[in-house]
Amino acid sequence: MPKPAAAVASLALAVALLPGCRKKETVPDPNQLIADLRGPDAEKSGQARLRLITLGEPVVPALAEMLRSGTPADRIAATNTLWGMGVRARAAAGDLAVALADADPALRVAAAMALENMGAAAVGAVPALAKALSDPEPGVRQAAVKALGAIGPEARAALPTLTRALRRASWPEAEEAVRRIRGLDPGTPVELGPEGPEEP
């Protein structure tokens, strides 16, 4: 029966040509995406963020530059986009660590959350995260302690600061961070050990 055979052949040809058509439509311009991310149109900015997250590592330098030198809104947008990339944003860990000392508490929280999402790849930010445990804003402290827990055993240098915080007050998230850093099972009692000298 020739008609069904012809229909199948036509369908097969259409499917074969489809990838070629798609390629022409989906080559994003990173510079345009960065411009859209910074723009006033919330819908365009949101779409640009999703596409930048999909692109991953190649656009991290541009986002890190936006984090360093953009407007306050730009810096938050860049940080949130880096958060969405997780470990693929590891090249921006140093810039995110610097942002933990920024005057804007919303940026400090966003930076700590982005570092948390990187896990062990954020190990270079451990000193800045440990310092952030004494931030005046509770949200920054919580985000920083969760980031240290996500980094895990590589965050061992933060243990003295964490245990000092636990001696001062109950802090379940800090206890969980200590467990993760020490490789303990959830719920294992946290031994604080002897009290060391206070940091200057």
Side-chain angles (χ1 to χ4, degrees):
M1 296 172 66
K3 283 189 179 175
V8 169
S10 298
L11 183 59
L13 181 62
V15 169
L17 292 172
L18 194 57
C21 296
R22 278 192 191 139
K23 276 185 185 171
K24 288 177 186 170
E25 293 169 10
T26 58
V27 178
D29 175 5
N31 293 327
Q32 184 59 54
L33 290 175
I34 292 286
D36 289 346
L37 182 67
R38 300 178 87 145
D41 184 326
E43 186 178 345
K44 254 185 164 179
S45 179
Q47 290 172 353
R49 178 174 178 258
L50 293 174
R51 297 195 81 184
L52 287 162
I53 288 169
T54 303
L55 288 174
E57 289 95 332
V59 296
V60 168
L63 289 166
E65 176 57 34
M66 190 170 156
L67 169 59
R68 287 191 297 270
S69 60
T71 66
D74 287 345
R75 299 178 77 203
I76 293 282
T79 304
N80 289 339
T81 306
L82 291 166
W83 170 85
M85 290 183 187
V87 70
R88 293 175 301 145
R90 60 187 168 272
D95 293 298
L96 291 165
V98 170
L100 289 170
D102 193 83
D104 180 359
L107 180 61
R108 299 200 303 273
V109 170
M113 290 174 67
L115 290 164
E116 177 190 358
N117 214 23
M118 282 182 206
V123 62
V126 166
L129 287 164
K131 190 172 180 182
L133 295 178
S134 57
D135 194 281
E137 291 291 328
V140 178
R141 297 196 298 271
Q142 288 289 78
V145 81
K146 287 180 180 179
L148 289 167
I151 292 168
E154 296 296 320
R156 193 163 285 277
L159 280 173
T161 308
L162 283 165
T163 53
R164 268 194 297 276
L166 286 170
R167 283 191 185 95
R168 287 194 292 268
S170 172
W171 191 357
E173 291 83 1
E175 286 186 10
E176 182 55 29
V178 170
R179 285 187 197 100
R180 294 179 92 178
I181 292 168
R182 289 180 177 167
L184 303 173
D185 292 330
T188 303
V190 172
E191 298 292 335
L192 299 180
E195 189 166 0
E198 285 292 320
E199 286 180 346

